[in-house]
Amino acid sequence: MDIRRVMKERIILFDGAMGTMLQKAGIGLGELPESWNLLHPDTVVRIHKDYLDAGADIISTNTFGANRLKIRGDGFTLNQVVRGAFNCAHKAVRQAGHGLVALDLGPTGRLLKPMGDLDFEEAVSIYAEVVELGVQNGADAILIETMSDMHELKAAVLAAKEHSSLPVFATCVFDESGKMLTGGTPKSVVAMLEGLHVDALGTNCSLGPRQMLKAARELLRYASVPVICTPNAGLPRSENGETVYDVGPEEFAEDIAALLDEGVSAVGGCCGTTPAHIRAVKKVAEGRKAPDIVQKQETIVTSYAVAQTIGKRPVIVGERINPTGKKKMAQALRDQNYSYILDMALEQQEKGAHILDVNVGVPGTDETSALCETIRQIQSISELPLQIDTSSIQAMEAAMRIYNGKPMVNSVSGKKESMDAVFPLVKKYGGVVVALALDENGIPDTSEGRVRVAGKILEEAKKYGIPEKDIIIDCLCMTVSADPRGALVTLDTLKRAQEELSAKTILGVSNISFGLPQRAFINQTFFTMALQKGLNAAIINPCSEGMKGAYDAYLVLAAEDENCGAYISTYADFKPALPRGAVWEEDLRGILKEGNTAAFDCHAVQAGKKTKKEQGYFNDSGELTENPDAARLIQCIRKGLREEAQKCAEGLLQSREALEIINHCMIPALNEVGKDFEYGKVFLPQLLMSAEAARGVFAVLKEKMEASGQGGNRRGSVILATVKGDIHDIGKNIVKVLLESYRFDVIDLGRDVPPETVVETAVRRKVRLVGLSALMTTTVANMEETIRQLHEKAPDVKIMVGGAVMTESYAASIHADRYCKDAMASVQYAEEVLG
């Protein structure tokens, strides 16, 4: 069966849960599911065959956790486990007389850098090893499933593409808010995976079929490839020590029918589903034709979390991370002073940039390594998509490979050598490419000539399978000081590219004024003219009040700012920037009225009642003075700038007590980030980077506190463990980082931890709070057993639990004291228990 062809003809049916069926078969506490391929092959064969007999077209090998991080020290090699898995699957296919076998790849259980400790290329290598074994053992397709991090998802897809020619399907986990663990959305997932040319994409696990409907609709809205949905059988609970789910086969099938009605192409089951569920789904899917796959035309660039559409509403590409004409930026790149670069990124984000241009081309430096490291650093603290801006093909490829999402790439031209070099990279890694309207003959003097070159680029891109939506035409700004008609030609090119080629357009606006005095006047006016012509994206300085003001005003006048809401919000209390050290009178009155001393310092100390001067508003000369270290420390922690935060803390220690810095700077900053995380304003990577910055600050303060006899001022101890049989410690490690940043002592017992170890440690260390984590259905029984033993031998210990398979009701049914839906909830419970 040619699965790609069949998927165009009818609904495809995947199998159901392997872990659920192994539990029913009696898998023991702590046993690796994959070991049953060798220890109990007849059972695994029977499970596969039961799914095939129920109507499944594709069965997934029992290799969800088969990788070199997990299959080690258990008596079997990875090669043996994978070979055993395929032997079982192929035997079941022969017995059933039909079916295809997909190599099943699950998450490694580790977070990738910079959030975690796993290098991107190491992740690719881990998956590549399993893919090669799958190919050797006769896989018909590759199913990458249950992914909660877009970066790891990209690593797995690259491994599958680089080491096989098999069909590749990829599904990930969204919560009820429609987000992945690290912030990815259906829109961002679709953009990245289509750029990587997967054959089908979708979602699995975590949600029941009814709850999955929202994410499915979003996937279908943006996807131009078939969509897969394999939900859980509802929500789990524990009955008599066994995990059961609340949606039976008939109800499950009814809800699957609703997904099929929306246009889903392939369905199946995840946790809690059985052959009975698949048999019921077969009845509602049988006879249905495959839905028509409509090619969507939206131009989308993404980060790990934010998907930015380039369309009617123009977007701003921040231009400031570029050393051209910027001595400080060039020197920062030579010195690898990433604090300066990250400040520039965050400032542009705060001023309203939608995408950040990243150009690190400084003579005498290694551009490839500098570009990759700069991208890693920016993506650790900012959720904005990036534009990879380089003329080096080597640097471009390296950056596109490690980039977390689908980037904008600047640039390709109409020169054959340029297209021959750039388009293969876009074909492989995906991206929205800026296409310069010039070729071997230079920059055409007329709009006709530029449109002709743009058309040639679009036609050449088609040969590589790159859609027109992923090409954005740079109509080229030529300075009017050299060519008086330069602006007019550019504007006419912009208009014609849209009308004649239906192309999206972009301009590097500031080029228009080169060589002229008071360039801001020229830039602002030309920018407005280009917006009126329909410019889709502008590379500008968003920190320029004139340029940003022109943009915001245009949105109002073009009816792109509903009820002028954004404009009013931005400018209702707007005051032009003042010279350094100056302050508006009304601002000073407000500061005094609010009694806000956090950002101000006073070096004079007098006895008796404190005046405003002693409270910290004025210096000895009676002038209002900011305390740069205090304000900067709060800002650096919030933004995740660890090195800068440590420098600020060192400066503050010259005049402030360590405990004061903790209570009035560090903890309030963390609390603000925590609230923003809960409200969806920041994403997990930013939360973790803020926590890391706070940990760095505490390391600086700890020495002084211990020297003064305060002993580091820790707040109590918490045991964390991933339960026996489970090696997925992403959630546990995230909780650890946050707890430590809030100054709790964390006793990390690691992963695959026996109940006895948890209990013994809790009793011996007299710990009052234990946190347990589990990702897999098959290991929740171990969590319940751990809780049982803790209640028996350490009854005063409070227990919090979390993980992908957990719900509040499930946690209650296994007698946990608190279900923590995320890391911040764990911190809040720790504060409740330990103070």
Side-chain angles (χ1 to χ4, degrees):
M1 179 169 64
D2 181 347
I3 191 61
R4 293 185 176 104
R5 178 183 58 78
V6 175
M7 194 169 268
K8 295 177 182 178
E9 298 172 353
R10 63 173 175 85
I11 301 299
I12 294 296
L13 187 54
F14 284 85
D15 58 7
M18 173 60 71
T20 297
M21 299 307 295
L22 289 176
Q23 278 188 315
K24 290 179 181 294
I27 189 170
L29 292 179
E31 280 193 89
L32 292 179
E34 295 79 12
S35 69
W36 276 47
N37 298 328
L38 301 167
L39 297 174
H40 307 283
D42 291 345
T43 300
V44 177
V45 171
R46 188 186 72 247
I47 293 170
H48 284 317
K49 184 175 182 297
D50 285 348
Y51 279 124
L52 290 167
D53 290 343
D57 299 299
I58 301 175
I59 54 173
S60 305
T61 54
N62 183 27
T63 53
F64 179 82
N67 60 66
R68 64 174 178 252
L69 296 179
K70 183 174 182 180
I71 307 298
R72 57 185 182 188
D74 295 297
F76 303 112
T77 67
L78 180 61
N79 188 7
Q80 288 173 321
V81 167
V82 174
R83 186 171 68 245
F86 275 93
N87 288 340
C88 292
H90 284 136
K91 185 174 182 179
V93 168
R94 289 193 299 270
Q95 290 178 1
H98 72 96
L100 297 180
V101 177
L103 169 66
D104 190 21
L105 299 177
T108 62
R110 302 261 292 276
L111 271 176
L112 272 64
K113 294 178 181 178
M115 291 183 289
D117 60 357
L118 185 61
D119 183 75
F120 179 80
E121 289 300 339
E122 176 68 10
V124 174
S125 173
I126 288 167
Y127 285 114
E129 187 176 15
V130 188
V131 169
E132 289 178 351
L133 291 172
V135 171
Q136 292 169 18
N137 285 280
D140 298 304
I142 295 172
L143 173 62
I144 302 164
E145 64 167 335
T146 322
M147 289 292 174
S148 57
D149 173 24
M150 280 183 57
H151 215 194
E152 184 176 31
L153 177 59
K154 180 174 182 177
V157 173
L158 282 178
K161 288 287 186 177
E162 291 175 346
H163 295 269
S164 84
S165 58
L166 297 171
V168 177
F169 309 131
T171 62
C172 50
V173 179
F174 299 106
D175 61 23
E176 291 195 57
S177 71
K179 288 192 172 66
M180 298 171 69
L181 175 69
T182 52
T185 64
K187 184 178 179 181
S188 60
V189 166
V190 168
M192 185 186 77
L193 289 179
E194 286 193 354
L196 294 169
H197 300 282
V198 299
D199 294 278
L201 56 84
T203 178
N204 77 294
C205 203
S206 185
L207 303 174
R210 195 167 299 173
Q211 294 81 12
M212 193 172 277
L213 192 59
K214 179 182 176 182
R217 285 173 175 156
E218 282 293 289
L219 291 167
L220 289 162
R221 177 181 174 185
Y222 298 105
S224 300
V225 297
V227 169
I228 304 167
C229 288
T230 53
N232 290 348
L235 301 176
R237 66 180 186 277
S238 179
E239 286 186 3
N240 301 318
E242 182 181 350
T243 302
V244 297
Y245 286 76
D246 62 3
V247 176
E250 299 307 319
E251 182 183 353
F252 185 82
E254 288 177 11
D255 293 339
I256 288 288
L259 290 168
L260 294 174
D261 290 342
E262 292 288 335
V264 171
S265 297
V267 290
C270 202
C271 300
T273 57
T274 66
H277 288 80
I278 301 306
R279 186 172 292 107
V281 170
K282 177 69 173 179
K283 292 177 182 177
V284 301
E286 204 159 25
R288 288 184 183 244
K289 292 183 178 180
D292 293 331
I293 306 300
V294 179
Q295 295 300 304
K296 313 303 192 300
Q297 298 304 320
E298 288 195 61
T299 299
I300 302 172
V301 294
T302 80
S303 65
Y304 60 84
V306 171
Q308 179 63 56
T309 298
I310 299 175
K312 181 183 177 184
R313 183 185 177 95
V315 302
I316 294 173
V317 181
E319 69 180 5
R320 299 186 69 193
I321 304 175
N322 188 322
T324 305
K326 301 185 183 77
K327 292 182 180 179
K328 287 185 178 180
M329 177 62 71
Q331 192 59 49
L333 289 166
R334 291 190 188 95
D335 297 341
Q336 298 182 21
N337 179 7
Y338 291 107
S339 295
Y340 180 86
I341 298 166
L342 295 181
D343 267 346
M344 197 73 73
L346 290 170
E347 183 181 14
Q348 291 182 96
Q349 177 173 329
E350 290 169 357
K351 294 297 184 180
H354 305 105
I355 300 168
L356 300 178
D357 181 77
V358 181
N359 184 314
V360 300
V362 177
T365 63
D366 182 345
E367 185 175 358
T368 298
S369 62
L371 184 58
C372 290
E373 184 57 27
T374 302
I375 286 172
R376 289 190 192 98
Q377 293 271 350
I378 294 174
Q379 288 207 294
S380 73
I381 54 93
S382 172
E383 74 273 18
L384 291 187
L386 304 182
Q387 174 172 266
I388 298 170
D389 186 357
T390 178
S391 58
S392 165
I393 296 301
Q394 180 184 0
M396 183 182 290
E397 177 167 20
M400 291 178 73
R401 183 175 180 84
I402 60 95
Y403 179 82
N404 192 353
K406 178 184 179 183
M408 186 180 284
V409 181
N410 191 359
S411 58
V412 70
S413 73
K415 297 178 180 179
K416 186 177 186 304
E417 63 178 358
S418 175
M419 293 188 287
D420 288 349
V422 174
F423 282 152
L425 301 184
V426 179
K427 168 70 174 177
K428 179 174 182 178
Y429 298 110
V432 171
V433 191
V434 174
L436 308 179
L438 62 87
D439 59 11
E440 288 83 358
N441 298 315
I443 300 174
D445 295 329
T446 64
S447 59
E448 292 90 347
R450 295 184 194 179
V451 170
R452 176 186 53 77
V453 173
K456 179 175 72 172
I457 295 171
L458 290 171
E459 286 301 314
E460 187 67 16
K462 287 180 183 177
K463 298 177 183 178
Y464 290 86
I466 301 169
E468 291 184 359
K469 67 181 180 181
D470 284 344
I471 305 291
I472 183 167
I473 304 300
D474 187 336
C475 302
L476 301 176
C477 287
M478 306 303 294
T479 177
V480 290
S481 62
D483 180 4
R485 292 187 55 80
L488 298 177
V489 172
T490 298
L491 294 172
D492 193 47
T493 304
L494 192 159
K495 183 170 181 284
R496 294 183 62 169
Q498 295 171 332
E499 292 177 350
E500 298 173 22
L501 302 176
S502 299
K504 304 295 193 305
T505 55
I506 188 170
L507 290 174
V509 175
S510 61
N511 293 339
I512 202 73
S513 63
F514 188 77
L516 292 173
Q518 296 297 322
R519 295 179 63 187
F521 298 145
I522 301 290
N523 293 344
Q524 185 175 333
T525 303
F526 177 67
F527 183 33
T528 304
M529 295 170 72
L531 290 171
Q532 178 60 27
K533 292 288 186 180
L535 180 67
N536 301 114
I539 304 173
I540 65 168
N541 176 7
C543 303
S544 163
E545 287 182 354
M547 295 297 280
K548 185 60 167 52
Y551 174 82
D552 292 334
Y554 169 79
L555 293 182
V556 171
L557 299 174
E560 289 290 336
D561 182 356
E562 187 174 357
N563 298 322
C564 308
Y567 188 87
I568 292 170
S569 176
T570 302
Y571 297 104
D573 300 313
F574 176 76
K575 303 178 186 70
L578 293 176
R580 185 174 180 83
V583 62
W584 291 95
E585 182 180 351
E586 55 267 41
D587 289 343
L588 177 57
R589 287 200 300 268
I591 290 168
L592 298 177
K593 182 178 179 181
E594 293 171 9
N596 178 14
T597 64
F600 299 94
D601 190 21
C602 175
H603 301 291
V605 178
Q606 298 177 7
K609 184 177 179 181
K610 289 187 176 181
T611 65
K612 292 293 183 184
K613 177 177 178 180
E614 282 86 48
Q615 288 177 13
Y617 294 107
F618 299 91
N619 61 19
D620 288 338
S621 302
E623 300 167 333
L624 184 69
T625 173
E626 290 189 11
N627 179 338
D629 281 336
R632 180 66 175 157
L633 177 57
I634 293 171
Q635 183 184 51
C636 287
I637 293 173
R638 290 185 62 191
K639 294 179 178 179
L641 303 174
R642 181 182 173 114
E643 291 183 9
E644 279 295 296
Q646 289 177 304
K647 290 178 183 177
C648 291
E650 289 168 355
L652 273 178
L653 279 173
Q654 304 305 311
S655 59
R656 303 285 177 90
E657 291 295 326
L659 190 57
E660 182 183 355
I661 296 170
I662 289 171
N663 291 334
H664 297 289
C665 294
M666 194 176 100
I667 295 300
L670 278 174
N671 287 340
E672 286 186 47
V673 177
K675 289 178 183 177
D676 285 345
F677 175 72
E678 290 182 40
Y679 295 143
K681 294 180 181 178
V682 303
F683 304 97
L684 179 64
Q686 297 150 296
L687 179 67
L688 289 181
M689 291 304 106
S690 293
E692 284 291 348
R695 288 171 71 185
V697 168
F698 188 74
V700 170
L701 303 178
K702 186 177 179 181
E703 280 187 39
K704 180 129 185 210
M705 295 176 75
E706 290 179 339
S708 64
Q710 293 177 297
N713 195 47
R714 306 302 287 189
R715 303 175 67 187
S717 297
V718 183
I719 289 174
L720 294 181
T722 301
V723 298
K724 180 67 177 175
D726 205 320
I727 59 98
H728 301 88
D729 60 357
I730 288 177
K732 173 185 68 66
N733 290 342
I734 292 169
V735 173
K736 177 183 177 181
V737 169
L738 255 69
L739 285 172
E740 289 183 338
S741 71
Y742 275 84
R743 306 185 342 276
F744 292 100
D745 277 317
V746 175
I747 303 168
D748 184 1
L749 299 181
R751 48 191 180 173
D752 190 19
V753 182
E756 295 76 15
T757 302
V758 177
V759 173
E760 187 275 330
T761 306
V763 172
R764 176 169 50 84
R765 302 284 293 269
K766 298 180 181 179
V767 172
R768 295 164 51 202
L769 179 60
V770 171
L772 301 175
S773 174
L775 174 76
M776 300 164 63
T777 307
T778 53
T779 60
V780 176
N782 299 332
M783 179 182 282
E784 185 172 8
E785 174 61 16
T786 305
I787 293 172
R788 187 193 66 76
Q789 291 191 27
L790 281 168
H791 284 326
E792 178 184 329
K793 299 179 181 178
D796 294 333
V797 169
K798 296 293 184 181
I799 305 160
M800 59 182 179
V801 298
V805 294
M806 279 289 113
T807 64
E808 189 166 359
S809 60
Y810 197 1
S813 72
I814 61 175
H815 308 294
D817 294 292
R818 182 66 60 89
Y819 162 65
C820 296
K821 66 176 182 177
D822 55 37
M824 278 309 302
S826 301
V827 170
Q828 290 159 3
Y829 188 57
E831 290 183 322
E832 181 182 323
V833 173
L834 301 176

